[in-house]
Amino acid sequence: PPIEWARRVYRRLPLTPAQRHRIGTAVNRWRRRSPTATSAPSVTQEPAGALRASREADVFVFAIIDWHFRFQRPQQLARALARRGHRVFYLSNHFADTREPGFQLEALDAELPLYQVRLNARGAPPIYFGPPDENTLTQLHAGLAQLLLQARPTRALAVVEHPWWWPLAGALPNATSIYDCMDHHEGFGNVPEPLLAMERRVVLESDLIIATSDWLGQRIAADRPDVLLIRNGCDAQHFGQPPPAIHHDTRGRRTIGYFGAIAEWFDIELVRAVAQAHADARVLLIGSDTVGARDQLADCLNVEFTGELPYDALPSYVHAFDVCLVPFKVVPLTLATNPVKVYEYLAAGKPVVAVDLPEMAQFGKLVRVASDRAGFVAAVGEALRETQDDQRVEARRAFAARQTWAARALAIDEALQALAEPRVSVVVLTYNNLALTQRCLQSLVDASDYPNLELIIVDNASTDGSRGWLHEFAARRPGTRLILNDRNLGFAAGNNVGLREATGEFLVVLNNDTQVTHGWVRTMLKHFRRHPRLGILGPVTNNIGNEAKIDIEYATAEEMAERAAEYTLRRGGRLHPLRTAAFFCVMLRADVYRQVGDLCEDFQIGFFEDDDYCRRVEAAGWDIACAEDVFVHHELSASFGKLPGEERQRLFERNLRLYESKWGEWQPHRYRAEQAAGGEQQ
């Protein structure tokens, strides 16, 4: 047929992988437009109510393959996590080629909260040949923000399957990130250095690292000794029971079979040797042939190719196999491989012959392993002569039954539960204003969503009943520490009392006239992980005298949460440098506090102690920034506002002189030029 002739010509063309990808993308686009083409899966932009809410963390899989490609680890894990109660968004590496930001949503299972997402990206760039450029990344961020505004996840899990995604996945708010390392990317031979550098970032910055093979785990361990081994698995039920129709050879020959990719790592000459040594058997190869194996083996009349087959059709063929093959070249790429097909072969109870790869050791005597061509051919002959042995067949099936995708998903959830997140100590200094204190502390309880949080409340001798209420609050909240000063020590000295008692790796100074928003702790921590020289970080807010102030309007706490989400979700992962972070809310590394020391108490009740501290942090070589993806409501000067005007002015002028005696002329804070809350930064 013409299409087959075209494929043969295409295979012989001296094209680079990038050129082949571009040609394939163009052909697929033409086929989708053709009236005779098979219709693509339907996609919808569903209303928010159509997305089923979940009590578990929402999972965002930043995928290495499209859902409708060969069904393997990425899809299997996504489905298994959905079965565990997670709402799963599978972000395809196939993009919608359009100028406008956005996404298409495809419901994948009528019974599960499982969706494929195709983000819009002009040019539909491939993910395998270089990191995304800035224009692509900007468009993807905007599209992901639209998805987040529709889905409204409260807690997220980012599963990264290819380093190309990291600039996007690493910015997901209130998320724990997992790098599921399933390939030795350098082994492909055509991966550019910028992508390999991106992978090194993923390894260093992800919260949890998973390797699919021991070889990969050892390679990563130099940078991340906490790497977790979670091998591939199988759907033992899918492959275990013989289907009604089995594709036996019409000529009655025994079948030596293989399914999977027929690519650069597939040993064509090894298969030739098997076919020639067992000329009375059929050698059946199932999968996409991207290296011209069909042409190279055309002289072997007992070798047959089916092309790519649907996952649901594979059991009909596997149960016709008398021997199953893993005929790979021994190269760095395959040394790192944990072949899914071995589990699936064993689930069907079939004899398996494989080349001697490191991951074969786990199967013991269940798999015949050969280290050279002659030994491989001999092992195939031995497997063909194997007599029916129910005990041997049952041992294979029993092993596979323990290696389920459900078990792998459970292992991921258990690893997440055991994950040690850094301790964060929040110091809240109070002085009267009980109603504001109550709202502040309640927001910490409701919106922090962080288990390893130490709350230290320091009261500066309040006289409005705050101390009695704080006693009751601390008694109800295990782990809360309440420190009652016998006099008003002022802002700097009062906070120093709490900071000295803090035990966290990260410290937060939080005014009692603030209200935090959902997931603020984890989202701020992600910036520190991505920026090793970041010393102090503040949020954006509605009310402050510097660049952290944004244009935002709301009348109630509910409206505040809504408007804040609309603002921050559009700015995931973004921060901008600050000269001075206002200490109504700042997070700093404990290492910075130990290096720089306490807030200067010479400023007495307040004014300029935050400017002074930032100059000291700056002098120590640390950066200061504002997180655009975290919003904290601020009343501003709830305590200072009650001072008489003349007293405030005297205090301001006194402390200004003190500051300038140490640091030179004070530079007044300024605002950034920014559009309304829903817009983009100019």
Side-chain angles (χ1 to χ4, degrees), residues 211-272:
T212 58
S213 71
D214 189 56
W215 192 95
L216 277 174
Q218 291 180 25
R219 170 181 165 270
I220 295 171
D223 295 316
R224 287 295 296 268
D226 57 341
V227 61
L228 178 66
L229 180 63
I230 297 183
R231 291 186 165 99
N232 288 319
C234 70
D235 185 341
Q237 186 174 2
H238 183 65
F239 288 93
Q241 295 301 317
I246 297 177
H247 290 268
H248 292 295
D249 181 43
T250 56
R251 294 165 54 184
R253 295 172 295 179
R254 306 193 75 188
T255 298
I256 302 168
Y258 167 87
F259 67 74
I262 303 172
E264 288 81 3
W265 55 87
F266 185 87
D267 195 335
I268 295 173
E269 293 308 310
L270 182 58
V271 172
R272 180 190 299 280

Side-chain angles (χ1 to χ4, degrees), residues 476-680:
R476 294 194 308 268
R477 305 293 306 177
T480 299
R481 303 172 65 186
L482 176 61
I483 301 173
L484 301 175
N485 294 330
D486 56 8
R487 61 188 178 89
N488 186 349
L489 300 180
F491 183 86
N495 274 299
N496 286 338
V497 170
L499 290 170
R500 291 168 193 152
E501 295 296 315
T503 61
E505 297 171 57
F506 292 86
L507 312 177
V508 175
V509 174
L510 184 70
N511 278 10
N512 69 325
D513 61 350
T514 61
Q515 293 176 57
V516 298
T517 55
H518 194 84
W520 69 286
V521 177
R522 197 175 278 108
T523 307
M524 292 186 82
L525 285 174
K526 289 170 72 67
H527 288 290
F528 283 96
R529 187 152 203 167
R530 299 178 76 183
H531 302 280
R533 293 309 303 169
L534 181 59
I536 297 183
L537 183 66
V540 294
T541 186
N542 60 305
N543 203 355
I544 200 66
N546 69 1
E547 305 95 312
K549 184 180 185 298
I550 63 172
D551 291 326
I552 187 170
E553 294 183 2
Y554 46 82
T556 66
E558 292 74 19
E559 276 190 47
M560 182 265 286
E562 187 73 14
R563 298 290 86 77
E566 290 172 0
Y567 184 93
T568 58
L569 290 178
R570 288 187 170 95
R571 293 161 173 80
R574 284 171 50 175
L575 51 72
H576 63 265
L578 285 177
R579 186 163 191 268
T580 298
F583 274 40
F584 75 96
C585 175
V586 290
M587 180 180 285
L588 65 155
R589 299 178 190 272
D591 288 344
V592 170
Y593 173 68
R594 284 190 286 268
Q595 180 182 0
V596 174
D598 287 342
L599 279 74
C600 179
E601 298 180 7
D602 294 341
F603 293 96
Q604 299 178 356
I605 295 176
F607 287 133
F608 292 99
E609 64 283 303
D610 43 8
D611 295 75
D612 174 79
Y613 203 82
C614 287
R615 298 293 76 73
R616 291 156 61 195
V617 169
E618 199 174 52
W622 295 93
D623 296 332
I624 304 164
C626 175
E628 297 184 40
D629 53 1
V630 177
F631 178 88
V632 173
H633 169 79
H634 184 210
E635 294 290 334
L636 188 62
S637 299
S639 296
F640 282 109
K642 295 181 179 181
L643 290 175
E646 292 182 2
E647 185 176 344
R648 288 189 68 202
Q649 186 62 30
R650 283 196 299 272
L651 183 62
F652 180 90
E653 292 174 356
R654 173 195 177 277
N655 286 356
L656 174 61
R657 290 192 297 272
L658 175 59
Y659 173 86
E660 291 186 335
S661 70
K662 298 172 67 175
W663 304 106
E665 184 179 0
W666 177 63
Q667 297 179 21
H669 302 170
R670 57 187 174 83
Y671 297 108
R672 287 185 306 148
E674 178 144 328
Q675 297 177 357
E680 292 299 322

Side-chain angles (χ1 to χ4, degrees), residues 3 256 430 464 490 609 627:
I3 189 67
I256 302 168
T430 65
D464 65 345
E609 64 283 303

